Amino acid sequence: MKAVVMAGGFGTRIQPLTHSRPKPMLPVMNKPMMEYTMMMLKDSGIQEFIVLLYFKPEIIQDYFKDGSDFGIKISYVLPDDDYGTAGAVKLAQELIGNENFIIISGDLVTDFDFSKLLQFHEEKKSKLSIGLTSVENPLQFGVVIANEEGVIEKFLEKPSWGEVFSDTINTGIYIVEPEILDFIPEGENFDFAKDLFPTLMEQKVELMAYNLQGYWRDVGNPQSYREVYEDILGGEVKFTIPGQKKKYPEGVLYSLGKNTLADSVEIIGTVVLGNSVTIQKNVKLSNTVIGDNVVIGASSKIKNSVFWEDIKVATHVLMDGCIICNDNIIERNVTAIAGLILAEGCEVGELTRFDKDVIIWPNKKIQPASVVTNNLILGSKYKNSIFEDGSVYGKSNIELSCEMATKLGESLGAQLPVHSTVLAGRDYDKNSHMIKRAFLGGLVSSGINILDLKDTPPSVLRYTLAHDDTLVAGVHIKRCLNDTASSEITFFNDEAMKIHSESAKAIEKTFFTEKFRRVDYNKIGRIRDTEHKIEAIRYQRAIMDNIDHKIVKHENFKVVIDVMHGTTVDIFPKIINDMAVEHVILNAYYDEKKLTNIALLEKKSQLNVSKIVRCLNYNMGFLIYPNAQQLVLVAENGMVLSKVKALYAVLELLNLEGMNEKKRVFLPVWAPDIRYFKNLVIERGKYSDFKVQKLKEYDLIATVDGNFVFTEFSYTRDAIYASLKIMELLSTYKIDLSILIRSLSDFYYKHFKVECPQKLKGTMMRKFLKYAKEKKSSSEMGVKIWEDKNDWVLMIPDQYSEHLNLYIQAENDEKGELLYESYLKKIEQFSKE
């Protein structure tokens, strides 16, 4: 028998514990809860596992790998969309084969004897058997009634109290015969309880139910996560606590590794320690579980709490009923005696006191002597900065709530003259729609008029803003590409550039002090909707005036374009049609589900564009990212160009165009420089706080991330114009992309993120600068050190998160990897000095 483990949920109800890891990987007694379930199934004789992934799949794969370290065999299935519980299992049909199998969730804790369910299934010759249990509160589960023979007679999914007809619920543990999979349609969203079970009952397929005896808990929210620990430590679960056992006068200690405990430490009840834990003198621990690499300072008292890994607790800290996630620093004399949840990456200043049941979301810094009475998400007075490079990011409807958006709108409005006009736009996402409405409400309350383009690409909004003197600022709201549960509000000045740091600070100051401008009722601003039709036409005409579309058509250029369900779906097809260029457009419609997993969408899009270009003998292909700013290039032979090769291909094209007059290019300081271009004057510098007057000096501004700005048209990133310009240049010089990059010898260029606490960033800069004194170096941005003519390392501390950006260029992979290992050791050494 094989086991199918459901491990793809987002864990929305249990946030912020699932901020950076999927719910099955939440630690229970210092191991992922999913591991215990799989080991129980292994003890029942199951050796082969099929794990269904979706949310943050790499974390599960990196931990369990192929299963050999755990004495099992694991295969993984990663759906390209949300197909529901049954639909996801259907994807594993080939791996399952022709034998029956057990389905179980990866995010539950139980001590059930699975062999009894299997025995029942075999005795009843069942096609599908469901494990049942009784719970106090059945509202979040599927209620089930079965007759004396075990045949299910009635289902009701997640009833209200008025609908509850039993306390016996569906545990989500099933034993299934393989032919049942034939009732599940392929490629459709199909759920076990809502779709499959009713279908089987209609087809007169008997569903059998077996009441499992023992402990079962679905870990669906922070409270249930606490209760799992209480139940295990209280002996309510048949659970073998891992680690070496040591008795104390008032309790027992379990240690998983080498730990350091002062002689005066008191252990009360059951205490569990991971590895490399340091407990200093006069500490009292009571019914507490502590993960790896944790330090508990002297005279602290920790009770009924769970600590994850890499936590530093100073002296005289008092905590009761707390969940402390990883990578937190808690200074001395902090008090939290009633249910604090402290998410990852926070710093809590000394003498801070937390009220009952406060939740602190990730990466917050609590100032010393604070009294924290409310949940701290985003935009609180405890957060010292809300802008990142002209944008505000946050979890949709959580961190970036309507209240937050309204206050941001009021804060922007306070910086602008009464009755001035702001341009606004958004993408298709419903969260963006909601946030924009709240934001505009704040703006009009401060006497600002709005020109609302509604759903529009940032490129159209910025072009309109730059060419309309009546507009004083712009704002665009969109769903984040790499974190689809988050949204982003980007602010632009009257030149359509992201607002400078000084402007961001002024808005932040108003936001934090709440010194908003509330105008009289007769001065409240107006909102004028345009649906961007007029603006889009102007934008399209401007492109046609700048691109030599006749030469593209004359050269019979053929192109495949994947617009990746983004806001360009209303713009790009019209432009390419007007140019009369033979083309294939893919994904020219909005699909919220596909955009949920941008990495998978990107992979599939690259594969599809590559195949079509190659099979149809087209000249090239493009991927236009949903943000309408980023490009991926595909050569005529189907090769998908890396970001570095794409940059160099565009530089080669510009180099050809510069034969008569040299072209000027601006690149960020971290861009590769191993290639010389005869007809280009390339300047490298700080890639932020641009002013249009400076940008006018260049013909091209680019990054190493697929962003290109051709200043003949605009001074902002625009994937639409960039793709057409590349087509024009390829047609003009009658050259293929593969030829352009053929002369580009392979070299090593990579970007790494190395963890570094905020407090050590200054130390790292100082140490790197000192080390660089004896070598060729630059400190224009970060510290750049040349180890050879073409081999260099650039270290830039990240402005917003706790890591260092390490860029490495070398003539070949061997030298590059040696450089990386060498500097990784230096960083480790510097951090200890």
Side-chain angles (χ1 to χ4, degrees):
M1 174 178 275
K2 297 176 183 177
V4 176
V5 182
M6 312 290 287
F10 285 91
T12 304
R13 291 185 296 124
I14 202 170
Q15 288 188 23
L17 301 184
T18 50
H19 179 77
S20 63
R21 62 183 78 187
K23 189 164 59 166
M25 297 302 289
L26 295 183
V28 171
M29 298 295 163
N30 294 325
K31 291 184 179 180
M33 70 172 89
M34 178 172 158
E35 180 179 342
Y36 291 108
T37 302
M38 294 173 74
M39 292 304 98
M40 287 178 64
L41 290 170
K42 176 190 173 187
D43 293 340
S44 299
I46 295 175
Q47 300 292 320
E48 291 190 49
F49 291 77
I50 301 165
V51 179
L52 305 182
L53 305 172
Y54 197 66
F55 177 64
K56 296 188 181 295
E58 68 282 356
I59 294 176
I60 295 175
Q61 290 172 305
D62 290 347
Y63 183 86
F64 289 102
K65 299 182 174 64
D66 64 359
S68 56
D69 293 344
F70 300 86
I72 56 178
K73 178 183 176 182
I74 301 178
S75 302
Y76 297 97
V77 174
L78 180 57
D80 60 353
D81 203 344
D82 181 8
Y83 292 109
T85 51
V89 174
K90 178 72 172 182
L91 297 176
Q93 186 168 9
E94 186 173 333
L95 291 171
I96 290 168
N98 296 317
E99 59 181 336
N100 59 22
F101 57 98
I102 185 169
I103 298 174
I104 194 166
S105 173
D107 53 9
L108 58 82
V109 175
T110 183
D111 59 10
F112 287 161
D113 184 351
F114 298 114
S115 63
K116 291 185 177 180
L117 178 60
L118 177 59
Q119 182 181 350
F120 170 85
H121 180 82
E122 292 174 345
E123 287 176 356
K124 296 292 184 178
K125 297 181 180 179
S126 172
K127 297 298 182 184
L128 192 154
S129 298
I130 301 173
L132 307 181
T133 193
S134 296
V135 296
E136 292 181 359
N137 185 350
L139 300 188
Q140 295 300 318
F141 309 103
V143 178
V144 180
I145 284 184
N147 65 20
E148 293 180 358
E149 297 299 317
V151 179
I152 292 175
E153 297 178 336
K154 190 175 182 181
F155 279 106
L156 185 61
E157 270 297 293
K158 296 183 179 180
S160 66
W161 277 120
E163 297 172 307
V164 169
F165 51 75
S166 171
D167 66 348
T168 304
I169 59 103
N170 173 7
T171 64
I173 301 171
Y174 313 130
I175 294 181
V176 185
E177 293 299 314
E179 58 262 38
I180 292 296
L181 294 177
D182 295 334
F183 289 91
I184 303 173
E186 288 188 14
E188 293 183 22
N189 190 297
F190 209 71
D191 189 79
F192 278 108
K194 289 187 292 185
D195 302 308
L196 179 60
F197 296 164
T199 298
L200 294 174
M201 294 176 80
E202 288 174 6
Q203 297 290 326
K204 307 301 181 183
V205 177
E206 286 189 345
L207 304 181
M208 306 301 295
Y210 179 78
N211 282 282
L212 290 157
Q213 302 300 312
Y215 181 89
W216 177 91
R217 184 178 291 278
D218 170 68
V219 185
N221 55 55
Q223 184 57 31
S224 63
Y225 184 72
R226 291 183 207 272
E227 289 169 354
V228 161
Y229 277 90
E230 293 173 6
D231 294 340
I232 292 173
L233 296 178
E236 299 292 324
V237 193
K238 293 177 184 177
F239 190 99
T240 302
I241 297 176
Q244 185 176 353
K245 184 177 180 181
K246 181 180 179 181
K247 290 186 177 180
Y248 279 74
E250 295 183 74
V252 60
L253 173 71
Y254 294 85
S255 293
L256 275 171
K258 293 182 179 180
N259 301 309
T260 304
L261 279 74
D263 294 336
S264 55
V265 170
E266 290 184 59
I267 302 295
I268 301 171
T270 302
V271 175
V272 182
L273 302 182
N275 186 35
S276 299
V277 177
T278 300
I279 311 294
Q280 297 177 357
K281 63 181 181 180
N282 299 323
V283 169
K284 182 183 288 187
L285 300 177
S286 175
N287 291 325
T288 290
V289 179
I290 297 175
D292 298 344
N293 305 311
V294 175
V295 176
I296 305 293
S299 301
S300 293
K301 296 179 180 179
I302 313 296
K303 182 180 180 182
N304 303 321
S305 296
V306 178
F307 283 59
W308 292 4
E309 62 273 4
D310 301 306
I311 301 164
K312 292 184 179 179
V313 177
T315 60
H316 297 90
V317 169
L318 177 60
M319 292 193 160
D320 187 1
C322 300
I323 300 174
I324 310 298
C325 297
N326 51 289
D327 301 295
N328 283 303
I329 298 173
I330 300 169
E331 301 294 354
R332 64 186 182 90
N333 292 309
V334 169
T335 301
I337 58 172
L340 168 70
I341 294 177
L342 185 67
E344 67 199 66
C346 295
E347 292 183 35
V348 180
E350 63 186 44
L351 295 169
T352 294
R353 181 180 181 86
F354 294 93
D355 272 9
K356 183 180 180 181
D357 296 330
V358 166
I359 299 175
I360 308 297
W361 281 66
N363 306 311
K364 302 296 181 286
K365 188 171 184 179
I366 313 296
Q367 298 299 321
S370 296
V371 177
V372 185
T373 59
N374 298 309
N375 293 346
L376 179 52
I377 301 174
L378 183 68
S380 160
K381 60 185 178 183
Y382 302 108
K383 194 174 189 298
N384 57 11
S385 177
I386 54 177
F387 276 91
E388 295 183 17
D389 189 25
S391 297
V392 177
Y393 302 85
K395 293 291 181 183
S396 304
N397 211 26
I398 299 173
E399 294 177 327
L400 204 46
S401 63
C402 287
E403 179 187 12
M404 171 79 172
T406 302
K407 288 178 65 177
L408 280 170
E410 292 176 301
S411 302
L412 173 61
Q415 318 305 316
L416 305 173
V418 174
H419 295 323
S420 56
T421 303
V422 170
L423 187 66
R426 58 171 172 82
D427 65 7
Y428 290 112
D429 188 68
K430 59 187 177 184
N431 292 291
S432 305
H433 198 168
M434 174 193 72
I435 292 168
K436 182 174 73 81
R437 286 194 170 189
F439 187 94
L440 297 190
L443 268 177
V444 295
S445 74
S446 59
I448 302 300
N449 296 319
I450 312 295
L451 179 61
D452 185 5
L453 300 184
K454 297 190 175 179
D455 50 285
T456 190
S459 51
V460 174
L461 183 142
R462 297 178 79 172
Y463 180 86
T464 303
L465 181 58
H467 292 83
D468 189 336
D469 294 337
T470 66
L471 302 171
V472 299
V475 61
H476 191 271
I477 300 166
K478 64 185 179 184
R479 184 183 193 175
C480 293
L481 282 182
N482 297 318
D483 181 5
T484 53
S486 296
S487 296
E488 171 187 351
I489 305 176
T490 303
F491 294 69
F492 303 106
N493 62 20
D494 59 345
E495 294 180 318
M497 308 305 297
K498 285 187 177 182
I499 60 170
H500 295 175
S501 53
E502 295 84 1
S503 300
K505 288 177 182 177
I507 296 172
E508 283 181 349
K509 184 178 179 180
T510 303
F511 182 94
F512 290 133
T513 59
E514 298 189 353
K515 293 183 179 179
F516 308 127
R517 181 182 67 210
R518 302 276 170 76
V519 299
D520 293 338
Y521 74 93
N522 58 349
K523 292 184 178 179
I524 290 174
R526 296 180 181 274
I527 300 176
R528 181 163 62 91
D529 298 331
T530 72
E531 297 184 353
H532 76 255
K533 290 181 180 178
I534 297 173
E535 290 74 20
I537 291 171
R538 290 173 183 163
Y539 172 78
Q540 293 165 15
R541 286 175 179 169
I543 285 181
M544 297 297 284
D545 290 342
N546 279 272
I547 293 293
D548 188 350
H549 50 92
K550 291 181 180 179
I551 194 170
V552 179
K553 182 180 178 182
H554 181 266
E555 289 300 315
N556 197 25
F557 202 91
K558 301 174 183 178
V559 63
V560 180
I561 301 163
D562 192 329
V563 295
M564 299 177 71
H565 309 289
T567 49
T568 60
V569 299
D570 296 329
I571 304 288
F572 206 116
K574 176 102 172 41
I575 295 173
I576 205 75
N577 284 333
D578 289 349
M579 288 178 63
V581 172
E582 185 174 334
H583 66 278
V584 174
I585 294 273
L586 304 177
N587 294 321
Y589 61 96
Y590 177 65
D591 191 319
E592 183 179 353
K593 290 183 178 179
K594 295 286 178 61
L595 290 172
T596 298
N597 192 335
I598 192 67
L600 187 61
L601 174 61
E602 179 185 42
K603 184 177 179 181
K604 289 185 68 175
S605 293
Q606 288 182 2
L607 183 64
N608 291 338
V609 172
S610 175
K611 283 182 178 178
I612 296 171
V613 167
R614 193 170 60 251
C615 291
L616 297 182
N617 292 318
Y618 272 27
N619 297 90
M620 70 172 303
F622 291 103
L623 272 68
I624 309 287
Y625 275 69
N627 59 19
Q629 296 177 349
Q630 194 176 349
L631 274 178
V632 170
L633 308 186
V634 180
E636 80 290 345
N637 58 5
M639 177 193 294
V640 179
L641 274 59
S642 68
K643 299 294 173 57
V644 173
K645 286 188 175 180
L647 171 62
Y648 270 27
V650 173
L651 292 176
E652 287 282 9
L653 284 170
L654 205 64
N655 190 51
L656 291 172
E657 197 175 34
M659 286 186 291
N660 297 323
E661 181 181 353
K662 286 192 174 184
K663 300 292 182 179
R664 293 180 59 82
V665 178
F666 182 91
L667 299 176
V669 69
W670 56 83
D673 57 6
I674 204 163
R675 183 67 179 267
Y676 171 73
F677 298 92
K678 180 181 178 181
N679 303 318
L680 300 182
V681 178
I682 299 178
E683 180 182 332
R684 289 173 170 81
K686 186 178 179 182
Y687 198 82
S688 63
D689 280 354
F690 286 122
K691 294 184 178 179
V692 168
Q693 199 59 37
K694 177 66 176 176
L695 297 183
K696 289 179 178 178
E697 300 175 9
Y698 307 102
D699 298 287
L700 173 70
I701 300 116
T703 67
V704 197
D705 299 311
N707 298 302
F708 301 98
V709 178
F710 289 93
T711 59
E712 65 188 36
F713 178 70
S714 73
Y715 302 104
T716 63
R717 301 175 182 180
D718 187 338
I720 295 176
Y721 187 83
S723 62
L724 298 172
K725 183 65 178 178
I726 292 168
M727 290 166 54
E728 178 198 283
L729 292 172
L730 289 171
S731 300
T732 301
Y733 297 103
K734 298 179 174 61
I735 194 168
D736 293 328
L737 276 176
S738 63
I739 303 298
L740 279 175
I741 62 172
R742 185 178 297 170
S743 60
L744 179 64
S745 58
D746 288 332
F747 64 96
Y748 184 95
Y749 177 85
K750 285 188 179 180
H751 170 214
F752 301 94
K753 291 186 176 183
V754 182
E755 291 184 4
C756 177
Q758 189 76 19
K759 64 181 182 180
L760 287 182
K761 288 180 180 178
T763 300
M764 287 299 166
M765 283 294 292
R766 177 168 51 83
K767 296 285 187 181
F768 264 78
L769 286 168
K770 183 178 179 181
Y771 176 76
K773 282 184 178 179
E774 299 178 2
K775 297 176 177 289
K776 180 185 175 183
S777 64
S778 168
S779 57
E780 180 182 5
M781 187 176 184
V783 182
K784 192 172 186 178
I785 301 171
W786 279 263
E787 295 288 352
D788 207 338
K789 179 182 177 182
N790 291 317
D791 301 351
W792 49 256
V793 175
L794 171 64
M795 188 280 292
I796 305 175
D798 194 88
Q799 184 177 354
Y800 306 109
S801 63
E802 294 197 334
H803 70 263
L804 308 175
N805 292 294
L806 206 63
Y807 300 88
I808 298 177
Q809 175 183 286
E811 291 180 345
N812 54 57
D813 288 352
E814 183 180 358
K815 295 177 75 174
E817 289 298 326
L818 286 173
L819 270 179
Y820 172 64
E821 294 296 333
S822 170
Y823 274 82
L824 209 58
K825 289 178 181 177
K826 284 182 174 61
I827 290 171
E828 185 178 355
Q829 177 188 336
F830 292 162
S831 65
K832 294 177 180 178
E833 292 178 354

